[in-house]
PDB file of all heavy atoms in Angstrom:
ATOM      1  N   HIS A 424      30.886 -25.954  33.774  1.00 90.00           N
ATOM      2  CA  HIS A 424      29.664 -26.741  33.810  1.00 90.00           C
ATOM      3  C   HIS A 424      29.876 -27.897  34.788  1.00 90.00           C
ATOM      4  O   HIS A 424      31.001 -28.203  35.181  1.00 90.00           O
ATOM      5  CB  HIS A 424      29.316 -27.273  32.421  1.00 90.00           C
ATOM      6  CG  HIS A 424      30.405 -28.080  31.791  1.00 90.00           C
ATOM      7  ND1 HIS A 424      31.546 -27.508  31.266  1.00 90.00           N
ATOM      8  CD2 HIS A 424      30.548 -29.420  31.598  1.00 90.00           C
ATOM      9  CE1 HIS A 424      32.326 -28.457  30.765  1.00 90.00           C
ATOM     10  NE2 HIS A 424      31.746 -29.627  30.960  1.00 90.00           N
ATOM     11  N   ILE A 426      28.335 -31.954  36.316  1.00 92.00           N
ATOM     12  CA  ILE A 426      27.551 -33.170  36.137  1.00 92.00           C
ATOM     13  C   ILE A 426      27.014 -33.581  37.494  1.00 92.00           C
ATOM     14  O   ILE A 426      27.753 -33.661  38.485  1.00 92.00           O
ATOM     15  CB  ILE A 426      28.405 -34.308  35.550  1.00 92.00           C
ATOM     16  CG1 ILE A 426      29.124 -33.856  34.276  1.00 92.00           C
ATOM     17  CG2 ILE A 426      27.526 -35.527  35.274  1.00 92.00           C
ATOM     18  CD1 ILE A 426      28.203 -33.454  33.163  1.00 92.00           C
ATOM     19  N   ASN A 435      30.324 -33.305  39.848  1.00 88.00           N
ATOM     20  CA  ASN A 435      31.672 -33.148  39.322  1.00 88.00           C
ATOM     21  C   ASN A 435      31.660 -32.036  38.277  1.00 88.00           C
ATOM     22  O   ASN A 435      30.716 -31.910  37.499  1.00 88.00           O
ATOM     23  CB  ASN A 435      32.160 -34.457  38.706  1.00 88.00           C
ATOM     24  CG  ASN A 435      32.386 -35.536  39.744  1.00 88.00           C
ATOM     25  OD1 ASN A 435      33.280 -35.431  40.572  1.00 88.00           O
ATOM     26  ND2 ASN A 435      31.549 -36.578  39.704  1.00 88.00           N
ATOM     27  N   TYR A 436      32.742 -31.273  38.275  1.00 86.00           N
ATOM     28  CA  TYR A 436      32.813 -30.103  37.409  1.00 86.00           C
ATOM     29  C   TYR A 436      33.729 -30.377  36.230  1.00 86.00           C
ATOM     30  O   TYR A 436      34.775 -31.018  36.362  1.00 86.00           O
ATOM     31  CB  TYR A 436      33.305 -28.890  38.188  1.00 86.00           C
ATOM     32  CG  TYR A 436      32.311 -28.457  39.255  1.00 86.00           C
ATOM     33  CD1 TYR A 436      32.391 -28.984  40.539  1.00 86.00           C
ATOM     34  CD2 TYR A 436      31.302 -27.557  38.945  1.00 86.00           C
ATOM     35  CE1 TYR A 436      31.464 -28.615  41.505  1.00 86.00           C
ATOM     36  CE2 TYR A 436      30.379 -27.194  39.912  1.00 86.00           C
ATOM     37  CZ  TYR A 436      30.455 -27.718  41.176  1.00 86.00           C
ATOM     38  OH  TYR A 436      29.543 -27.355  42.132  1.00 86.00           O
ATOM     39  N   GLY A 437      33.313 -29.847  35.062  1.00 81.00           N
ATOM     40  CA  GLY A 437      34.149 -29.969  33.883  1.00 81.00           C
ATOM     41  C   GLY A 437      35.215 -28.906  33.867  1.00 81.00           C
ATOM     42  O   GLY A 437      35.188 -27.950  34.646  1.00 81.00           O
ATOM     43  N   SER A 438      36.158 -29.071  32.935  1.00 69.00           N
ATOM     44  CA  SER A 438      37.233 -28.087  32.809  1.00 69.00           C
ATOM     45  C   SER A 438      36.682 -26.789  32.251  1.00 69.00           C
ATOM     46  O   SER A 438      35.713 -26.781  31.509  1.00 69.00           O
ATOM     47  CB  SER A 438      38.334 -28.638  31.888  1.00 69.00           C
ATOM     48  OG  SER A 438      37.800 -28.937  30.617  1.00 69.00           O
ATOM     49  N   ASP A 454      25.974 -40.260  28.577  1.00 92.00           N
ATOM     50  CA  ASP A 454      27.393 -40.549  28.388  1.00 92.00           C
ATOM     51  C   ASP A 454      28.124 -39.452  27.618  1.00 92.00           C
ATOM     52  O   ASP A 454      29.308 -39.590  27.314  1.00 92.00           O
ATOM     53  CB  ASP A 454      27.550 -41.886  27.656  1.00 92.00           C
ATOM     54  CG  ASP A 454      26.860 -41.890  26.302  1.00 92.00           C
ATOM     55  OD1 ASP A 454      26.135 -40.912  25.981  1.00 92.00           O
ATOM     56  OD2 ASP A 454      27.030 -42.868  25.555  1.00 92.00           O
ATOM     57  N   MET A 455      27.449 -38.356  27.290  1.00 92.00           N
ATOM     58  CA  MET A 455      28.102 -37.280  26.528  1.00 92.00           C
ATOM     59  C   MET A 455      27.336 -35.980  26.752  1.00 92.00           C
ATOM     60  O   MET A 455      26.112 -35.975  26.919  1.00 92.00           O
ATOM     61  CB  MET A 455      28.118 -37.622  25.033  1.00 92.00           C
ATOM     62  CG  MET A 455      28.702 -36.519  24.148  1.00 92.00           C
ATOM     63  SD  MET A 455      28.655 -36.965  22.382  1.00 92.00           S
ATOM     64  CE  MET A 455      29.994 -38.143  22.308  1.00 92.00           C
ATOM     65  N   ILE A 456      28.116 -34.901  26.773  1.00 91.00           N
ATOM     66  CA  ILE A 456      27.489 -33.581  26.799  1.00 91.00           C
ATOM     67  C   ILE A 456      28.089 -32.724  25.691  1.00 91.00           C
ATOM     68  O   ILE A 456      29.247 -32.915  25.288  1.00 91.00           O
ATOM     69  CB  ILE A 456      27.669 -32.869  28.155  1.00 91.00           C
ATOM     70  CG1 ILE A 456      29.157 -32.690  28.487  1.00 91.00           C
ATOM     71  CG2 ILE A 456      26.913 -33.571  29.261  1.00 91.00           C
ATOM     72  CD1 ILE A 456      29.400 -31.822  29.703  1.00 91.00           C
ATOM     73  N   PHE A 465      31.738 -27.710  22.000  1.00 88.00           N
ATOM     74  CA  PHE A 465      32.675 -28.737  22.452  1.00 88.00           C
ATOM     75  C   PHE A 465      31.890 -29.960  22.913  1.00 88.00           C
ATOM     76  O   PHE A 465      30.793 -29.845  23.474  1.00 88.00           O
ATOM     77  CB  PHE A 465      33.548 -28.215  23.590  1.00 88.00           C
ATOM     78  CG  PHE A 465      34.351 -27.000  23.222  1.00 88.00           C
ATOM     79  CD1 PHE A 465      33.822 -25.723  23.384  1.00 88.00           C
ATOM     80  CD2 PHE A 465      35.628 -27.136  22.694  1.00 88.00           C
ATOM     81  CE1 PHE A 465      34.565 -24.597  23.036  1.00 88.00           C
ATOM     82  CE2 PHE A 465      36.369 -26.014  22.345  1.00 88.00           C
ATOM     83  CZ  PHE A 465      35.838 -24.743  22.511  1.00 88.00           C
ATOM     84  N   ILE A 466      32.466 -31.128  22.652  1.00 89.00           N
ATOM     85  CA  ILE A 466      31.883 -32.389  23.089  1.00 89.00           C
ATOM     86  C   ILE A 466      32.772 -32.986  24.169  1.00 89.00           C
ATOM     87  O   ILE A 466      34.002 -32.991  24.063  1.00 89.00           O
ATOM     88  CB  ILE A 466      31.745 -33.369  21.919  1.00 89.00           C
ATOM     89  CG1 ILE A 466      30.636 -32.908  20.965  1.00 89.00           C
ATOM     90  CG2 ILE A 466      31.443 -34.768  22.403  1.00 89.00           C
ATOM     91  CD1 ILE A 466      30.426 -33.826  19.799  1.00 89.00           C
ATOM     92  N   GLU A 467      32.129 -33.506  25.217  1.00 89.00           N
ATOM     93  CA  GLU A 467      32.856 -34.173  26.277  1.00 89.00           C
ATOM     94  C   GLU A 467      32.159 -35.493  26.602  1.00 89.00           C
ATOM     95  O   GLU A 467      30.927 -35.543  26.682  1.00 89.00           O
ATOM     96  CB  GLU A 467      32.912 -33.306  27.539  1.00 89.00           C
ATOM     97  CG  GLU A 467      33.738 -32.045  27.379  1.00 89.00           C
ATOM     98  CD  GLU A 467      33.737 -31.205  28.627  1.00 89.00           C
ATOM     99  OE1 GLU A 467      32.636 -30.884  29.125  1.00 89.00           O
ATOM    100  OE2 GLU A 467      34.813 -30.884  29.125  1.00 89.00           O
ATOM    101  N   ASP A 468      32.954 -36.532  26.769  1.00 89.00           N
ATOM    102  CA  ASP A 468      32.414 -37.817  27.205  1.00 89.00           C
ATOM    103  C   ASP A 468      32.246 -37.797  28.720  1.00 89.00           C
ATOM    104  O   ASP A 468      32.978 -37.110  29.443  1.00 89.00           O
ATOM    105  CB  ASP A 468      33.352 -38.957  26.811  1.00 89.00           C
ATOM    106  CG  ASP A 468      33.486 -39.074  25.300  1.00 89.00           C
ATOM    107  OD1 ASP A 468      32.446 -38.919  24.617  1.00 89.00           O
ATOM    108  OD2 ASP A 468      34.606 -39.296  24.807  1.00 89.00           O
ATOM    109  N   ILE A 469      31.294 -38.579  29.217  1.00 89.00           N
ATOM    110  CA  ILE A 469      31.055 -38.667  30.665  1.00 89.00           C
ATOM    111  C   ILE A 469      31.375 -40.096  31.121  1.00 89.00           C
ATOM    112  O   ILE A 469      30.752 -41.056  30.661  1.00 89.00           O
ATOM    113  CB  ILE A 469      29.600 -38.315  31.002  1.00 89.00           C
ATOM    114  CG1 ILE A 469      29.274 -36.885  30.564  1.00 89.00           C
ATOM    115  CG2 ILE A 469      29.330 -38.471  32.497  1.00 89.00           C
ATOM    116  CD1 ILE A 469      27.831 -36.496  30.759  1.00 89.00           C
ATOM    117  N   ILE A 470      32.345 -40.194  31.946  1.00 86.00           N
ATOM    118  CA  ILE A 470      32.722 -41.487  32.536  1.00 86.00           C
ATOM    119  C   ILE A 470      32.819 -41.293  34.046  1.00 86.00           C
ATOM    120  O   ILE A 470      33.474 -40.368  34.529  1.00 86.00           O
ATOM    121  CB  ILE A 470      34.075 -41.995  31.975  1.00 86.00           C
ATOM    122  CG1 ILE A 470      33.953 -42.200  30.446  1.00 86.00           C
ATOM    123  CG2 ILE A 470      34.466 -43.297  32.649  1.00 86.00           C
ATOM    124  CD1 ILE A 470      35.252 -42.642  29.805  1.00 86.00           C
ATOM    125  N   ASP A 471      32.129 -42.195  34.746  1.00 82.00           N
ATOM    126  CA  ASP A 471      32.104 -42.100  36.210  1.00 82.00           C
ATOM    127  C   ASP A 471      31.638 -40.729  36.683  1.00 82.00           C
ATOM    128  O   ASP A 471      32.209 -40.119  37.599  1.00 82.00           O
ATOM    129  CB  ASP A 471      33.494 -42.422  36.794  1.00 82.00           C
ATOM    130  CG  ASP A 471      33.923 -43.858  36.523  1.00 82.00           C
ATOM    131  OD1 ASP A 471      33.008 -44.718  36.407  1.00 82.00           O
ATOM    132  OD2 ASP A 471      35.127 -44.091  36.415  1.00 82.00           O
ATOM    133  N   ASN A 472      30.599 -40.229  36.000  1.00 80.00           N
ATOM    134  CA  ASN A 472      29.980 -38.958  36.376  1.00 80.00           C
ATOM    135  C   ASN A 472      30.930 -37.775  36.214  1.00 80.00           C
ATOM    136  O   ASN A 472      30.742 -36.738  36.832  1.00 80.00           O
ATOM    137  CB  ASN A 472      29.468 -39.006  37.826  1.00 80.00           C
ATOM    138  CG  ASN A 472      28.386 -37.976  38.095  1.00 80.00           C
ATOM    139  OD1 ASN A 472      27.380 -37.940  37.385  1.00 80.00           O
ATOM    140  ND2 ASN A 472      28.591 -37.137  39.104  1.00 80.00           N
ATOM    141  N   ARG A 473      31.938 -37.962  35.352  1.00 82.00           N
ATOM    142  CA  ARG A 473      32.896 -36.887  35.135  1.00 82.00           C
ATOM    143  C   ARG A 473      32.999 -36.584  33.642  1.00 82.00           C
ATOM    144  O   ARG A 473      33.074 -37.504  32.821  1.00 82.00           O
ATOM    145  CB  ARG A 473      34.286 -37.253  35.667  1.00 82.00           C
ATOM    146  CG  ARG A 473      34.334 -37.431  37.165  1.00 82.00           C
ATOM    147  CD  ARG A 473      35.727 -37.860  37.606  1.00 82.00           C
ATOM    148  NE  ARG A 473      35.790 -38.059  39.047  1.00 82.00           N
ATOM    149  CZ  ARG A 473      36.017 -37.079  39.918  1.00 82.00           C
ATOM    150  NH1 ARG A 473      36.227 -35.857  39.489  1.00 82.00           N
ATOM    151  NH2 ARG A 473      36.064 -37.340  41.212  1.00 82.00           N
ATOM    152  N   PRO A 474      33.029 -35.291  33.251  1.00 79.00           N
ATOM    153  CA  PRO A 474      33.239 -34.922  31.850  1.00 79.00           C
ATOM    154  C   PRO A 474      34.728 -35.001  31.511  1.00 79.00           C
ATOM    155  O   PRO A 474      35.574 -34.426  32.192  1.00 79.00           O
ATOM    156  CB  PRO A 474      32.734 -33.480  31.791  1.00 79.00           C
ATOM    157  CG  PRO A 474      32.911 -32.955  33.177  1.00 79.00           C
ATOM    158  CD  PRO A 474      32.733 -34.123  34.099  1.00 79.00           C
ATOM    159  N   ILE A 475      35.077 -35.768  30.453  1.00 82.00           N
ATOM    160  CA  ILE A 475      36.469 -35.912  30.029  1.00 82.00           C
ATOM    161  C   ILE A 475      36.525 -35.832  28.507  1.00 82.00           C
ATOM    162  O   ILE A 475      35.502 -35.789  27.821  1.00 82.00           O
ATOM    163  CB  ILE A 475      37.047 -37.262  30.506  1.00 82.00           C
ATOM    164  CG1 ILE A 475      36.248 -38.419  29.882  1.00 82.00           C
ATOM    165  CG2 ILE A 475      37.059 -37.370  32.021  1.00 82.00           C
ATOM    166  CD1 ILE A 475      36.861 -39.778  30.121  1.00 82.00           C
ATOM    167  N   ASN A 476      37.738 -35.851  27.998  1.00 82.00           N
ATOM    168  CA  ASN A 476      37.981 -35.959  26.560  1.00 82.00           C
ATOM    169  C   ASN A 476      37.245 -34.869  25.773  1.00 82.00           C
ATOM    170  O   ASN A 476      36.382 -35.125  24.955  1.00 82.00           O
ATOM    171  CB  ASN A 476      37.546 -37.342  26.067  1.00 82.00           C
ATOM    172  CG  ASN A 476      38.054 -37.611  24.658  1.00 82.00           C
ATOM    173  OD1 ASN A 476      39.021 -36.991  24.195  1.00 82.00           O
ATOM    174  ND2 ASN A 476      37.387 -38.518  23.951  1.00 82.00           N
ATOM    175  N   THR A 477      37.623 -33.618  25.999  1.00 82.00           N
ATOM    176  CA  THR A 477      36.982 -32.482  25.335  1.00 82.00           C
ATOM    177  C   THR A 477      37.449 -32.383  23.888  1.00 82.00           C
ATOM    178  O   THR A 477      38.637 -32.394  23.598  1.00 82.00           O
ATOM    179  CB  THR A 477      37.325 -31.178  26.067  1.00 82.00           C
ATOM    180  OG1 THR A 477      36.872 -31.283  27.421  1.00 82.00           O
ATOM    181  CG2 THR A 477      36.666 -29.989  25.404  1.00 82.00           C
ATOM    182  N   ARG A 478      36.475 -32.291  22.992  1.00 84.00           N
ATOM    183  CA  ARG A 478      36.773 -32.138  21.561  1.00 84.00           C
ATOM    184  C   ARG A 478      35.946 -30.980  20.994  1.00 84.00           C
ATOM    185  O   ARG A 478      34.791 -30.794  21.373  1.00 84.00           O
ATOM    186  CB  ARG A 478      36.422 -33.418  20.806  1.00 84.00           C
ATOM    187  CG  ARG A 478      37.297 -34.619  21.160  1.00 84.00           C
ATOM    188  CD  ARG A 478      36.648 -35.911  20.709  1.00 84.00           C
ATOM    189  NE  ARG A 478      35.487 -36.256  21.550  1.00 84.00           N
ATOM    190  CZ  ARG A 478      34.640 -37.229  21.255  1.00 84.00           C
ATOM    191  NH1 ARG A 478      34.797 -37.940  20.141  1.00 84.00           N
ATOM    192  NH2 ARG A 478      33.631 -37.493  22.068  1.00 84.00           N
TER     193      ARG A 478
END
Side-chain angles (χ1 to χ4, degrees):
H424 56 285
I426 307 298
N435 292 293
Y436 294 90
S438 59
D454 59 352
M455 176 181 285
I456 59 172
F465 301 88
I466 289 181
E467 293 178 307
D468 297 320
I469 299 175
I470 299 178
D471 296 331
N472 202 55
R473 295 177 181 275
I475 61 171
N476 192 22
T477 301
R478 293 163 288 170

